[in-house]
Amino acid sequence: MSNVIVIGCGRVGSQLANMLSDNGSNVCVIDRSADAFANLGRNFNGSTIQGVGFDEDVLVRAGVEECDVLAAVTQFDNANLMCAEVASRLYDVPHVIARLYNPDHERAYMQLGIDYVCGTSLVAEDVFSKIVSGHGAHIETFGEFEVLRFSLDLSWRENQKTIRVSEMERDHEVRIVAFERADGSASSIPTSDSVLYNGDTVLACVHHDLIGAFSKYIQD
């Protein structure tokens, strides 16, 4: 059982909270409006707290210090960003996910290392998939494979800040689908000879069983 905090109890937050609760998670929902908790319905099995999601006292009451995942899914990008930053920076919550309305803010979220779901439809399902998968880079599941999007971490390679696509694919049995330079200067579908740099954004397809070994390439 995982401990999950959901911030925002509108259509998305209430749907997500019920999905997680039905899946066996211990869920606490935060919303500034007590009336919003009516969206959860009578069968919701978790707890609720009225308050602002980036208020430290509210988060502590919600159990942030023992929290495994926090999902900020209010209707306001700035509020979601603040919730995500407080949870990750102050309380070291292992997995923080923020809802993103304005795609113009996407690069800022990526540069801050914040996992997010962008869009207005099927958001609850997307966040639920990320939580259940157990890693922040998750985009989609295809049978035994995961599609991951992440910032490339090569800091563990002594004095080597680049790596060829062929080396990553050979050593970890993955397929690098696409990449974008860290500064946004170029993006490409790679060949085996393409060179990746520390901090590049990478789209990869990885077998479930290999994600543990491959995770060293994924920036936290």
Side-chain angles (χ1 to χ4, degrees):
M1 177 181 291
S2 59
N3 297 317
V4 183
I5 295 175
V6 176
I7 300 175
C9 195
R11 179 185 61 81
V12 170
S14 58
Q15 182 183 359
L16 174 63
N18 276 296
M19 293 170 68
L20 290 166
S21 181
D22 291 343
N23 195 55
S25 294
N26 180 27
V27 185
C28 180
V29 182
I30 299 172
D31 198 287
R32 64 173 65 237
S33 171
D35 293 338
F37 299 133
N39 294 323
L40 292 166
R42 295 181 178 179
N43 296 324
F44 177 62
N45 213 15
S47 59
T48 59
I49 293 179
Q50 182 182 3
V52 177
F54 47 82
D55 183 290
E56 293 182 47
D57 290 337
V58 171
L59 286 171
V60 170
R61 285 167 53 205
V64 70
E65 293 167 318
E66 294 81 35
C67 181
D68 301 301
V69 184
L70 181 142
V73 292
T74 77
Q75 297 181 5
F76 305 99
D77 284 353
N78 288 340
N80 293 337
L81 177 60
M82 291 177 67
C83 294
E85 286 284 273
V86 170
S88 60
R89 308 293 182 192
L90 297 185
Y91 295 101
D92 295 321
V93 175
H95 190 179
V96 175
I97 306 169
R99 183 181 186 183
L100 175 61
Y101 268 91
N102 188 345
D104 292 340
H105 299 158
E106 187 171 6
R107 183 171 296 280
Y109 273 53
M110 292 180 61
Q111 290 174 342
L112 289 170
I114 295 174
D115 192 15
Y116 63 92
V117 168
C118 187
T120 57
S121 62
L122 300 178
V123 176
E125 291 87 343
D126 289 344
V127 178
F128 179 76
S129 294
K130 282 175 173 283
I131 293 173
V132 172
S133 71
H135 46 85
H138 168 85
I139 290 180
E140 185 59 89
T141 299
F142 289 97
E144 297 181 348
F145 296 89
E146 296 283 346
V147 179
L148 309 178
R149 178 175 178 172
F150 56 92
S151 294
L152 183 63
D153 184 5
L154 298 177
S155 60
W156 53 274
R157 289 165 58 92
E158 295 183 6
N159 301 318
Q160 297 184 51
K161 299 304 180 184
T162 65
I163 188 171
R164 288 192 182 275
V165 167
S166 57
E167 181 180 347
M168 290 184 69
E169 292 185 336
R170 180 193 68 232
D171 292 349
H172 297 279
E173 298 183 37
V174 304
R175 179 60 54 86
I176 307 302
V177 181
F179 69 90
E180 182 180 35
R181 295 302 181 208
D183 60 3
S185 61
S187 59
S188 177
I189 296 175
T191 67
S192 59
D193 291 329
S194 295
V195 176
L196 302 176
Y197 294 81
N198 189 63
D200 283 354
T201 298
V202 177
L203 189 68
C205 185
V206 188
H207 193 280
H208 285 303
D209 295 342
L210 301 176
I211 288 175
F214 187 75
S215 63
K216 62 185 177 184
Y217 289 106
I218 301 175
Q219 290 188 15
D220 293 331

